[in-house]
Amino acid sequence: VDRPVSGAALTKDEARITVRNVPDQPGTSFGIFSSLAAKNVAVDMIVQNVGAGGTADISFTVPEGDLKRAVAAVESAVAELGGGDVSHDSNVAKVSIVGLGMATQSGVADRMFRALAEESINITAITTSDIKVSVLVERPRMTDALRAVHREFELDRPPHERSTF
Amino acid sequence: VDRPVSGAALTKDEARITVRNVPDQPGTSFGIFSSLAAKNVAVDMIVQNVGAGGTADISFTVPEGDLKRAVAAVESAVAELGGGDVSHDSNVAKVSIVGLGMATQSGVADRMFRALAEESINITAITTSDIKVSVLVERPRMTDALRAVHREFELDRPPHERSTF
Ligand SMILES: C[C@@H](O)[C@H](N)C(=O)O
Ligand SMILES: C[C@@H](O)[C@H](N)C(=O)O
């Protein structure tokens, strides 16, 4: 499998919610995401980095049409959990690269990051699985971001015509 | 597809590196991850949450045997990028749930979070894709974490015997 990346995707009708300074203890994530499930809000990307000082920050994306309902659900969940600050941003787009070959090759994510850096596109969040790397960028840059990734991974060419490294 | 989760996995020979307060600007992620690719360090999970005040934090996991080399690479990358604090922790394990059905069902991640909360297992980082949710937990809790997830999603039963909701 020469091609670590077989495709790229753009998700644009999402909004991001960030919950900062919530208690970094068992039950916090459950409290937040069960409040969303209870309101039938579909959550796409979830990102939590390691906390500090007893608190942590969690971000996630929801369909833009659900934003108001999601923010309300999370604000009351956070109040019940002991505190935290809820903010949101609709001016986002998610750009992903996907590929089965990615799981066994290093240097794939950094190629995506280079492609975006070369276009001066800021990466505002990152989440990965073994076959996928997703980043959030500002929505005005989404088309440039997708194009940069297509170019980097030669996705506009049929697979047999792409370079091998 | 009744079963949103078809399996769970534990990854335990990994260590986490966190880079805090790096410039939240194009080129930072590329600078960090290209320094690792240059040293042939395989990176597994990457997590970046939304930054604040012009800086952001990025965490990632590497094979435990590569930790020393990875930390050295990242420390010099960070110095070149303008600053940041590098820390690391080997006392981690990654627990994941996987399932094709997850992409179209809400409430799957929160069931995983509930299962861990009920065992008082703290979630130290979260990353997701449409078919996978991965969390970092403290290594001493990894077996409890895997068992809790197995129970929650009835993974010890053959698929046709599992509850439908
Ligand atoms: C921050 C949040 O993930 C918390 N650590 C929990 O376990 O729920
Ligand atoms: C923090 C880091 O992701 C930075 N925003 C970048 O684009 O590289």
Side-chain angles (χ1 to χ4, degrees), chain B residues 10-156:
Chain B
L10 190 63
T11 312
K12 50 191 151 131
D13 298 318
E14 291 193 325
R16 166 184 60 78
I17 296 174
T18 296
V19 186
R20 292 202 189 274
N21 299 317
V22 284
D24 188 5
Q25 64 196 22
T28 291
S29 287
F30 172 57
I32 290 168
F33 291 98
S34 59
S35 78
L36 292 159
K39 292 284 189 288
N40 269 318
V41 174
V43 172
D44 180 23
M45 180 182 191
I46 302 174
V47 180
Q48 180 204 318
N49 204 338
V50 179
T55 70
D57 303 338
I58 306 173
S59 291
F60 57 93
T61 58
V62 299
E64 214 172 344
D66 289 347
L67 180 60
K68 208 153 170 266
R69 205 152 51 95
V71 169
V74 171
E75 280 175 340
S76 58
V78 162
E80 273 176 54
L81 288 164
D85 314 302
V86 182
S87 61
H88 53 90
D89 185 358
S90 298
N91 191 29
V92 303
K94 186 179 75 166
V95 181
S96 303
I97 55 172
V98 182
L100 294 178
M102 212 187 283
T104 52
Q105 293 192 30
S106 69
V108 176
D110 79 287
R111 286 176 59 194
M112 180 187 197
F113 302 153
R114 174 177 68 207
L116 298 173
E118 283 173 355
E119 301 298 316
S120 296
I121 295 167
N122 199 41
I123 296 164
T124 58
I126 303 169
T127 173
T128 62
S129 74
D130 43 359
I131 58 168
K132 193 171 188 177
V133 181
S134 292
V135 302
L136 286 183
V137 301
E138 288 149 14
R139 201 175 286 183
R141 303 303 317 271
M142 71 181 186
T143 311
D144 293 341
L146 189 66
R147 197 155 39 215
V149 163
H150 265 251
R151 241 184 354 248
E152 173 64 36
F153 295 103
E154 297 179 282
L155 297 175
D156 300 322

